[in-house]
Structure formats: structure tokens, C-alpha cells
Amino acid sequence: MRKTAAFIGAGFLIITTAACGGTASTGATDKTLTISESVTATPWDLAKASMGPEAQYYQPVYDTLIRLNTKNEPTPNLATSWTYDKAETTLTLKLRSGVKFTDGTALDAQAVKQNLLHTKSGTGTAAGEIRDIASVDAVDARTVVIKLSHPTAALLPALGQVSGMIASPKSLSNPKAPVGSGPYRLDASATTAGQTYTYTRASGYWNAKAFPYDKIVIKYLADPTARTNALLTGQLDGASLSLSRVKTVKGRGLNVVTYQPGDIEGLFIWDRAGKIVPALGKLKVRQALNYAFDKQAIIKTAKTGLGEPTTQLFAPWEEGYDASLNSTYSYDPAKAKKLLAEAGYPNGFSVTMPDLSALFPQEQEALTQSLKNIGIKVQLDNLPSDQIFSSMLSGKYALSYFKLGAPTSWDKVQLELTKDATWNPFKYDDPKADALITQISKASGAERTALFKKLNTYVVDQAWDAPWTPTVNAYGTAKDVKVTPQPGINFPPIYNFAPAKS
């Protein structure tokens, strides 16, 4: 299997070669669900965890404080109820009684406190989701009080994902295997790290009826063709699909769902101050890049017609999204050339970007050709896949094709728009944007939404990036398996899989 890479909601993960293969499951018949992942598992230590598709490896074992339903609304789970104070800076959770980890330890307020502070102390994207937590208090065995540095609508959704997963306190420091209170436990005897992970039912789980499968098997298959073939031949019950294979899979009578996870793809401009490519420090140059792309054509050819053009980082359902902004830049290469000339670059300029054509061939071709059409010379840097991630984060590239995703608008702001954001490798800082972000962090309700729109408008006008479209994902399942996707989540969570009704 060739090396590959995958862009996900919280960033960009490097995927290395792994063996693949296995035996077909029969879904509801033997109560085994076999699915594939396009990324390898990250460490079991939740302080190092990521928020992307690899969350599926955690979901069988680690239960979450909140359960997000299929509309991404918070519902009770380990926490049975919660309330905010008037200032919306203190969240009080009431915990479910009688829950135990698979090592026999009781899941109580102290365990929740230790977990939240431990996860927050890390550097992974799960840690970033709860960075606004100032303190956690265990008032009594079933009461947890979380104090925030400022109001944020992102906390409850975060507690329904990896950031809100709870591990046994005994396993928090350097766990060699996951120990949680979830519906399953890892079967080490049937697991090969980096290849196949097998989970069997945990006895006594409080909500076992919500998980109809006795066993879950997750196989790492990085190659999209291998995933599709394994699904078509019955070796898998579920797999993510390339959009180009949707018609084939449907034609074989299998089930396919398409959905928007909230990721935004396109040209991301990392060097907005022009530190290594001076031209990018000029507003007219960045605006020229936004006029360079025929987004409708890209959607038609690279996305099989699924999607709609955008100019903004926020998905249509996210706070601060403004449909009127999508007309800010049209496809106009002549105007792009005019802006380049006005900025002092009548003959364009040269730039080096990572070559992602092995992973996203049509997207990379569209990007390179569109820039060439307005006079920008692109040199593609062909790196080993295990070096792309670190090279991008180190500031080696001034711009590149990318997909940015996060559960909420505020998370996207924290992920790319702040000075210290993970995906701000050049630490670009803009005082006006900083001021708006600070105001957003202290606001709520209609005021907060209005401020988000101001920030969104400013970022679009300043051409911080050149987005193309919100991504559309496709997921295929066997005839006897039904799955329901969720907005804001790349791959459907395991609790959304069930036997299909005949």
C-alpha cells in the first residue's frame, strides 16, 4: 500500500504504510461491525489526542461527558444534566451514578476533574478544544464545576467529543492500553497496533442497548481504492469513499450517505506578512489569488458536482456565516492580473508549495494551473509523506492546498486566526482581528453572532486565505448496515451505526 496523507477537521495527519486485510463480517448476523480508518490511531493518552477521524479508535473505549445527537445538539451521557451561571463562565455538571471504568475504579467528579485538566495540559487538538477552561472543581462525588476564562459556545460540543472523553485515573499517565468506561474494551489478543483494532463488549455498561454490535473491528486502510474494494467484496461493513466512487458503490446495491462535515478546502495563505514570499504581504496580491480560481469548475471536476463555492472559513450552519460574502470574489483572472500589476508584480512571482498530487491530484492540478494562468510560477516540493506535516507547521511553505475543519466557528478561529494558533505557522498577527476575537470571547447571544460576522467579513476582505468550497464527504456501508453522519464530524461516530431494517 502506498504512503498517503489525509487532511482532517483539526489539521493534517501523516499516514504511513500499514498492512491490510481481514475477513468479512456479516454485520447484524454475527453482531460484528468491521469498518476502516484512513488514519492510524494516535496515542491512547488523551492529552496527545487529535479531534479528527481517528476519534473512532477512542469511541468504543472512552465515553464522553456529553453525547452530541445527529443535529450536533448536546444530550445527556456521563453527565445527566448541566447548568450555566448568568455570566456563562461557570458550568455545573451532574454525573451519572454507578458508572465504573473497566478496571473497577468508580467514575466520579474527581476522575472527571483529573481527566479535563490532564487533557487540557496537552498539545493535541483535543487539548486546544478546552483551553478556555480556567479551573475544575469536584464539589462532591457527582458534581463537577468548570470555570471558564470567558464565555464560549464551544465547551459543550467539545465535551461531546474527544476533549470530553474520560479515562480511568489510574491510566492517565502514559497508558499502554486504553482504560475507559465506554461500551467496549480493547481486545489486545486480536489487535495489531497500526493495523487492526478489535473491541469487545464491556460488561455492565449502562447504555448497552445504544450499541447493537457485540464486537467492533477497525482496520487501518490508507488507500481509498483499497477501502472501496474491501467494502465491495464484503471485507468491510463501512468505509469512507472518494466522491468519484459513490456511483459505483451505489450501483452495487450498497448504502452511501453524503454530508458536509464542516471542513473548508482551498488555497490557504500561511505567509500573510510576506516573510518568505514578500508578494503575499500585499493585500492586492492576496485578493488576486482569490480571483484566480474557477470554483464551479473545480467542484464539477474534482468534487463530482457536490458542493458550493465559498469565500469564508465558516460552514453554512456555523455562527458568523454570511452568505452575502460569497460574492466578494468571482472567477476573474484578468482582474487578478491587474491587481498583481498594481501591487508591483506585473510578471507575477515564484512560490514553492508541497506537492500533494498523489493525495489530491485534481485539487493540486487545479491549484497549480490556476496560479500559472495569472502569472504565478509554482515549484512543487515532493516530500516524503511523513515530513509534510512538520514542514508545513514549521513555516517552510508560504501557501498550500489545505482543508481546515473544527466543530464550531470559535474552534476555527482558535485553530487558524489567532497569533498562537496551530495553523498559523508564521504567527501572523493583526490588531483589528485580535480586538474582534477578544470581544467575541467575552460576548454571548446576538452580540457574539454579530461580532463573528464582523470578523468573518474582515478576514474575507483582507484575503487571509482563498477558500473554494465546504467539503462533502461520502461514507458507504454494507446492505445490512445503516449509518447516520453528523455535521462537524469527519467520519460517523460508532454510536451512529446500526443494523439496517430489512
Side-chain angles (χ1 to χ4, degrees):
M1 185 184 301
R2 64 189 173 91
K3 291 185 177 181
T4 186
F7 287 94
I8 65 170
F12 179 84
L13 290 180
I14 301 308
I15 312 307
T16 54
T17 305
C20 56
T23 319
S25 75
T26 56
T29 303
D30 64 7
K31 296 293 185 181
T32 296
L33 176 73
T34 303
I35 59 177
S36 72
E37 264 291 359
S38 62
V39 301
T40 51
T42 50
W44 296 117
D45 186 348
L46 294 172
K48 300 176 181 177
S50 298
M51 295 285 292
E54 67 271 44
Q56 279 187 332
Y57 292 109
Y58 300 136
Q59 289 164 355
V61 176
Y62 296 131
D63 217 350
T64 52
L65 289 168
I66 304 293
R67 172 73 75 236
L68 299 178
N69 65 18
T70 53
K71 295 181 180 179
N72 250 17
E73 300 166 336
T75 63
N77 200 47
L78 290 177
T80 57
S81 63
W82 52 87
T83 56
Y84 270 109
D85 66 345
K86 187 176 181 180
E88 296 186 8
T89 56
T90 300
L91 177 68
T92 300
L93 301 172
K94 287 293 184 181
L95 301 180
R96 188 174 301 279
S97 61
V99 178
K100 290 186 177 182
F101 296 102
T102 54
D103 63 3
T105 305
L107 192 155
D108 57 14
Q110 188 63 33
V112 171
K113 173 182 177 178
Q114 289 178 251
N115 269 268
L116 291 177
L117 294 179
H118 176 73
T119 298
K120 180 179 181 288
S121 71
T123 57
T125 51
E129 292 291 301
I130 54 174
R131 68 175 64 183
D132 297 326
I133 292 179
S135 65
V136 182
D137 295 322
V139 177
D140 57 43
R142 293 189 55 231
T143 307
V144 178
V145 175
I146 301 173
K147 294 187 177 180
L148 299 166
S149 57
H150 55 77
T152 172
L155 181 59
L156 284 177
L159 297 182
Q161 299 192 74
V162 179
S163 305
M165 289 182 175
I166 306 298
S168 171
K170 294 181 181 179
S171 71
L172 277 182
S173 57
N174 194 30
K176 292 182 173 59
V179 181
S181 65
Y184 302 91
R185 60 193 308 164
L186 184 70
D187 181 354
S189 66
T191 293
T192 302
Q195 298 181 23
T196 301
Y197 296 78
T198 300
Y199 306 84
T200 55
R201 278 198 184 278
S203 61
Y205 181 66
W206 64 273
N207 194 23
K209 290 183 179 180
F211 297 87
Y213 296 98
D214 296 321
K215 182 188 296 184
I216 292 180
V217 179
I218 301 178
K219 296 184 177 184
Y220 166 52
L221 292 173
D223 188 283
T225 299
R227 290 198 301 273
T228 303
N229 290 341
L231 181 66
L232 291 173
T233 56
Q235 298 176 61
L236 294 174
D237 297 312
S240 62
L241 303 174
S242 300
L243 295 180
S244 61
R245 301 303 300 276
V246 167
K247 185 176 180 179
T248 298
V249 173
K250 282 186 175 180
R252 295 283 290 273
L254 277 66
N255 304 317
V256 178
V257 292
T258 56
Y259 56 98
Q260 288 188 353
D263 298 9
I264 303 297
E265 67 179 304
L267 175 66
F268 280 72
I269 305 168
W270 313 119
D271 186 18
R272 303 183 198 107
K275 290 182 178 179
I276 63 173
V277 178
L280 297 176
K282 294 183 178 294
L283 174 59
K284 288 187 176 182
V285 170
R286 300 195 304 273
Q287 290 174 332
L289 297 178
N290 275 268
Y291 285 108
F293 300 104
D294 187 346
K295 299 173 187 177
Q296 291 283 14
I298 293 172
I299 291 168
K300 181 178 180 180
T301 57
K303 307 299 168 187
T304 67
L306 297 173
E308 62 275 343
T310 192
T311 65
Q312 53 197 303
L313 295 178
F314 301 152
W317 62 85
E318 291 176 338
E319 192 174 12
Y321 176 83
D322 186 345
S324 67
L325 291 175
N326 290 333
S327 61
T328 305
Y329 304 105
S330 58
Y331 173 52
D332 193 338
K335 187 167 186 176
K337 291 179 181 179
K338 183 174 182 291
L339 286 168
L340 287 174
E342 291 174 358
Y345 296 91
N347 300 315
F349 56 91
S350 299
V351 65
T352 299
M353 294 191 298
D355 185 2
L356 303 173
S357 55
L359 316 170
F360 306 101
Q362 293 174 307
E363 291 87 345
Q364 183 68 73
E365 172 61 24
L367 177 59
T368 304
Q369 188 61 49
S370 297
L371 294 181
K372 180 181 178 181
N373 291 344
I374 64 170
I376 297 175
K377 307 168 194 66
V378 176
Q379 175 67 43
L380 293 178
D381 192 7
N382 190 2
L383 285 178
S385 62
D386 59 358
Q387 295 179 24
I388 297 175
F389 178 72
S390 57
S391 295
M392 292 177 74
L393 286 176
S394 70
K396 181 176 181 179
Y397 303 109
L399 69 174
S400 69
Y401 170 78
F402 195 68
K403 294 182 183 180
L404 181 78
T408 68
S409 298
W410 179 249
D411 293 312
K412 284 179 177 172
V413 168
Q414 296 294 302
L415 194 60
E416 203 217 357
L417 303 186
T418 65
K419 181 180 179 180
D420 296 322
T422 301
W423 286 105
N424 183 9
F426 289 86
K427 304 308 173 188
Y428 180 72
D429 193 24
D430 183 305
K432 185 171 181 178
D434 290 344
L436 285 168
I437 292 170
T438 299
Q439 292 178 62
I440 290 170
S441 72
K442 299 176 180 178
S444 60
E447 179 188 6
R448 176 186 168 99
T449 299
L451 288 167
F452 257 122
K453 286 189 175 183
K454 284 186 179 180
L455 175 64
N456 194 10
T457 300
Y458 181 71
V459 168
V460 171
D461 289 343
Q462 292 294 306
W464 280 25
D465 296 303
W468 297 347
T469 181
T471 64
V472 175
N473 285 4
Y475 200 92
T477 59
K479 295 178 182 179
D480 57 359
V481 175
K482 178 184 177 182
V483 69
T484 305
Q486 288 188 213
I489 299 179
N490 289 81
F491 290 175
I494 62 160
Y495 45 83
N496 283 359
F497 286 84
K501 295 180 181 180
S502 55

